[in-house]
Amino acid sequence: MRPRELRPGVYSVGAVDWDRRVFDMLIPLPEGTSYNSYLVRGTDQTVLLDTVDPTMTHVLLDSLSGVERIDYVVVQHAEQDHSGSLPPVLARYPDAQVLCSARAVDLLATHLGISGNRVRAVEDGEELQLGSKTLRFVYIPWAHWPETMSTFLPEDKILFSCDLFGSHLATSDLIGDERELYLAAKRYYAEIMMPFRPILKKDLEKVEPLGAELIAPSHGPVYGRPGLILDAYREWIDGPPHNLAVIPYVTMHGSTKMMVDRLAGGLIDRGVKVEKLDLQGLDLGRLATALVDAATIVAATPTVITHPHPLMVSALYLAAELKPKVRFLSAMVSYGWATKAVEHMTESTAGLKAEVIEPVVVKGLPTDDDLQKIDALAGAIATRHAEAGLT
Ligand code: FEO
C-alpha cells in the first residue's frame, strides 16, 4: 500500500491487520487491529514514528519503498507490536538513529537487542527540529508501559498518542467514523488502559493542553475531532460509575440462571440498568467494557467441588486486575452439599476495595424464601445506587 497523506508532509505508512483475532493470547480482536506508523518529512530531515508488528514488516517496508532516507526512527513504545519491525527498518536505513524515552533504552536492548550509539534517549518535552516541522516528545508513562511517550507536531497540531486513545479496529478509513471509533476505543480502554487510571489522569492533563487538532494513535484510525476521545477518557477515568449492575454468571443445571433472572428483573423494576453476561463462550472484552461504567458487580456461580466455577474464577481475576471504579460487590451462589465460593470470590476481589453487599447462597433450586432474598439484594443495590446519586 502507498503512504497515505494525513497532512502535507505527514503520512500514514503502517499496516491494517484485518485477520488477527487475539492479542497477548488474552484479548479478543473481533474487529482486527492496525499497527500505525507515521512518516514525517521536514525540509531538512525525515522521521519514522514507530514501526509495526513483526508479522506485518513486509507492509511497512513496501510503504517505505520510495523513501530513500530516514534520519530518525522514534520508538514511542517498546512493545513488539510497534517496535518489532525495528531491526529490518534499521537494516534498510543504516544511518537512522533511534530516539526513545529514557526507560525504553533498556527495553529495546533486552527485547530487540538494539543498543549502543544507534539509540539515543530524549527527554520529556525535548524538541527535534526537522526544518519546516518540529517534533516535541511528551512522556506519558504507564499508557500502558512505563516507557511510553507521545509525540506532538505543533506546526500541524497532530498528537501521535501511541497506545493511548487507541482502538483495535481494522478499517480502510484513515480518519475514523466517530460512532464506530467510540465503541472500539472504549473496549480498548477497558482492556488495556483501565488498570492505570490514576496515572492516566496525569497523562491526560499533559496532552490535553497541547491543543491537538488531530490525534493519531498507534492502533485504529485517527481522530478528526480530538474532543471525542478526550471527553470520553475524562469520563472513563474520573467520572462516577453509572447506575449499572453487571451480572457475570455461569450456570450448570439452571439454578444459578433462575437467580440471575430474578435479580435482573428486580433491578430493572427498581430502575437499575443491568448487563447479564453468561461467561460460557463470552468474549471477555465485553465484560471488560461493561466494567468501565459499572457501579456494582454481582457474580453468580454454581459451586464446583467447593469453589466457584473456573470460568468465574478467571473472570473475577480479570475484573480485579482491570481495577474498574466499581463501588459495590455481591454474589449469588448455588451448591449441592457444601460451598466456600463466597469466601473465595470475596478474597479474589478484595483489591477492588468495594463494599460487599450480603450475598445470596442457595442449596439446590431456589426456594420462595431464596427468591425473596434475591429481591432484597436487588433492593439493597438500588438503594446504594440512589444514595450515591448514580445516574
Ligand atoms: Fe500496542 Fe502496548 O502495544
Side-chain angles (χ1 to χ4, degrees), residues 38 41 48 68 76-77 86 90 94 109 123 133 136 152 157 160 178 188 215 236 239 290 299 301 304 318 354 358 367:
Y38 300 95
R41 285 185 181 278
L48 184 68
E68 290 187 358
Q76 301 191 108
H77 178 26
L86 197 51
L90 293 181
E123 293 180 10
K133 295 186 188 297
R136 186 186 310 157
F152 186 59
K157 293 194 176 345
F160 301 95
E178 285 206 349
Y188 183 94
I215 290 182
W236 297 335
T301 180
V304 176
L318 181 67
E358 182 69 24
T367 63

Side-chain angles (χ1 to χ4, degrees), residues 6 14 33 37 44 72 82 104 154 159 170 189 192 205 217 222 225 266 268 274 282 285 293 301 324 372:
L6 188 58
T33 190
S37 174
D44 298 338
Y72 298 99
H82 310 292
L159 174 66
Y189 163 83
I192 309 287
E205 287 165 359
V222 170
R225 187 174 66 85
I268 293 166
V274 168
L282 183 76
D293 297 325
T301 180
Q372 297 298 320

Side-chain angles (χ1 to χ4, degrees), residues 23 77 79 81-82 144-145 163 188 219:
F23 199 84
H77 178 26
E79 192 167 9
D81 52 324
H82 310 292
H144 64 124
W145 278 19
D163 276 347
Y188 183 94
H219 295 287

